[in-house]
Amino acid sequence: MGKGGNSNEASENMAAWLLGINNLKIQPYKLPALGPNDVRVRMKAVGICGSDVHYLKTMSCGDYQVKEPMVIGHECAGIIEEVGSEVDYLVAGDRVALEPGIGCWRCNRCKEGSYNLCPDMKFFATPPIHGSLANQIVHPANLCFKLPDNMSLEEGAMCEPLSVGVYGCRRAEVGAETTVLIIGAGPIGLVTLLSAKAFGAPRIIVADVDEHRLSVAKSLGAYAVVQVSTNKDDVASEIEKLKKAMGKDIDVTLDCAGFEKTVSTAFGATRNGGKVCLIGMGHSIMTVPLTPAASREVDVLGVFRYKNTWEQCLEFISSGKIDVKPLITHRFGFSEEEVIEAFETSAKGGNAIKVMFNL
């Protein structure tokens, strides 16, 4: 048995299981044995991600297919109940944010530090790996980050989506002299806006089709917002609108949507020698003006999840450089009825940005 708790819990561990399309049930979830370098964590805050909704609606997301019942959820924070025998830097009672991806640490990608590209990555709620929308989970201690006293558990759970924005800005080398265009004002676009601000970008404009989300972007500090259409015939005119809104060259474009139209817009709006960072994954195959972008030496950067971002996210939030609280628009408990309602709320969009479970 580990330190700090009884591994035989009096109450049965329950989790939100994805059983089929639009079929979520709260059912028992037997935890794996606690390893010497693991911790057992009682979940307290779990957010809903767009990928969770994709799995619920289609049993797939990108190349990943749900082929058997799976526990959902990966944006999470909780309180440690028990630590493994070799864990000496965390104790029962510590509040922690969890990084959900476990690399193999044997492949070349892991060895060079790019563990997010590990071909054998085990990531919460990416089939066939179970997620974290449960009373308790077991996780490697080195992927659990102690929260500063001035941070809430909800803010800890927000480190996961925020990490996508932070890593995208790192990839694009956003800094104090970088003008930034963000395409897409959904949850990831908005955390990317907050990240670009924290990295010092002096002028950030945001484009989206939704007027409400643009108003949220403006309230979070966007220099300007531009409403665009879904019509590919509008790309040329919208590129000019975006350039005019920026008022100077666009150094970096972070595409948080990932559709054929948005990528085409990103290529055309970004200055000669600038960078386009592809964060969103809306379309897997698309026809875009790549040769004109290449002839202007526009660098195209891919982003897959994140790596080594949690410490920086904790610093940004605890220092006040980033305030994620306005993004949490809806809160639900952990009954089956509330879980179903929460996912429907997230799927509908509207004024919902981040839907959070309080367990």
Side-chain angles (χ1 to χ4, degrees):
M1 191 177 77
K3 299 174 284 184
N6 189 334
S7 59
N8 297 314
E9 289 298 291
S11 57
E12 193 168 28
N13 188 48
M14 306 298 284
W17 288 83
L18 175 61
L19 304 178
I21 290 176
N22 292 323
N23 187 2
L24 282 170
K25 300 287 185 185
I26 303 290
Q27 295 183 344
Y29 174 33
K30 183 175 175 57
L31 293 178
L34 186 76
N37 295 298
D38 293 335
V39 292
R40 179 164 54 86
V41 185
R42 181 168 294 278
M43 291 289 93
K44 301 302 289 184
V46 181
I48 296 179
C49 172
S51 65
D52 296 322
V53 175
H54 271 288
Y55 285 126
L56 176 64
K57 296 299 181 184
T58 67
M59 295 293 280
S60 67
C61 187
D63 294 331
Y64 298 101
Q65 305 284 328
V66 181
K67 298 179 180 179
E68 56 189 27
M70 179 183 78
V71 176
I72 203 80
H74 63 267
E75 304 175 359
C76 55
I79 299 174
I80 290 181
E81 295 259 312
E82 184 181 11
V83 302
S85 59
E86 298 297 316
V87 179
D88 57 7
Y89 47 92
L90 293 170
V91 297
D94 282 346
R95 302 177 316 128
V96 292
L98 285 71
E99 182 172 353
I102 307 169
C104 73
W105 295 108
R106 296 184 300 275
C107 71
N108 288 336
R109 299 293 78 75
C110 281
K111 288 176 181 178
E112 70 188 15
S114 296
Y115 62 89
N116 58 316
L117 303 179
C118 173
D120 294 318
M121 168 71 74
K122 293 178 172 59
F123 194 94
F124 280 159
T126 296
I129 308 302
H130 291 308
S132 60
L133 185 49
N135 296 132
Q136 300 185 52
I137 58 94
V138 169
H139 203 53
N142 69 315
L143 295 174
C144 297
F145 298 84
K146 189 173 178 179
L147 297 181
D149 291 340
N150 67 339
M151 273 184 65
S152 70
L153 286 153
E154 286 189 339
E155 290 173 304
M158 288 296 293
C159 285
E160 199 282 336
L162 180 60
S163 285
V164 178
V166 166
Y167 184 54
C169 287
R170 279 190 197 163
R171 287 278 286 155
E173 299 180 309
V174 172
E177 297 181 350
T178 313
T179 57
V180 175
L181 163 62
I182 295 170
I183 302 178
I188 294 301
L190 294 175
V191 294
T192 302
L193 164 62
L194 294 175
S195 300
K197 282 183 60 187
F199 278 104
R203 191 173 292 195
I204 306 163
I205 64 173
V206 179
D208 197 276
V209 298
D210 187 272
E211 189 174 356
H212 172 71
R213 290 189 169 184
L214 288 174
S215 70
V216 174
K218 197 74 170 74
S219 72
L220 293 175
Y223 173 77
V225 296
V226 177
Q227 189 168 14
V228 294
S229 75
T230 57
N231 188 344
K232 285 191 284 187
D233 293 338
D234 294 334
V235 168
S237 62
E238 288 174 356
I239 286 171
E240 294 310 310
K241 283 173 63 177
L242 292 165
K243 289 180 177 179
K244 184 177 180 180
M246 182 66 81
K248 52 173 66 178
D249 283 346
I250 295 171
D251 298 320
V252 167
T253 298
L254 297 140
D255 182 357
C256 299
F259 294 105
E260 188 169 300
K261 179 176 184 282
T262 61
V263 174
S264 298
T265 300
F267 285 166
T270 306
R271 68 164 172 83
N272 295 0
K275 297 174 183 176
V276 170
C277 193
L278 304 178
I279 297 175
M281 297 181 177
H283 286 156
S284 58
I285 299 174
M286 58 184 84
T287 301
V288 296
L290 189 57
T291 301
S295 69
R296 296 190 297 111
E297 296 193 359
V298 175
D299 292 341
V300 182
L301 303 167
V303 166
F304 186 63
R305 294 175 179 154
Y306 35 67
K307 61 180 181 181
N308 301 314
T309 52
W310 255 252
E311 295 284 3
Q312 187 158 35
C313 288
L314 293 174
E315 174 61 27
F316 277 157
I317 295 172
S318 63
S319 67
K321 284 186 177 179
I322 287 180
D323 182 7
V324 293
K325 294 190 293 294
L327 301 183
I328 305 170
T329 54
H330 295 73
R331 293 173 173 86
F332 291 87
F334 190 50
S335 68
E336 189 169 293
E337 181 181 342
E338 286 179 286
V339 168
I340 292 169
E341 185 183 355
F343 270 87
E344 286 307 309
T345 300
S346 183
K348 287 176 184 173
N351 66 347
I353 299 175
K354 182 56 62 180
V355 176
M356 185 74 66
F357 291 104
N358 295 134
L359 286 76

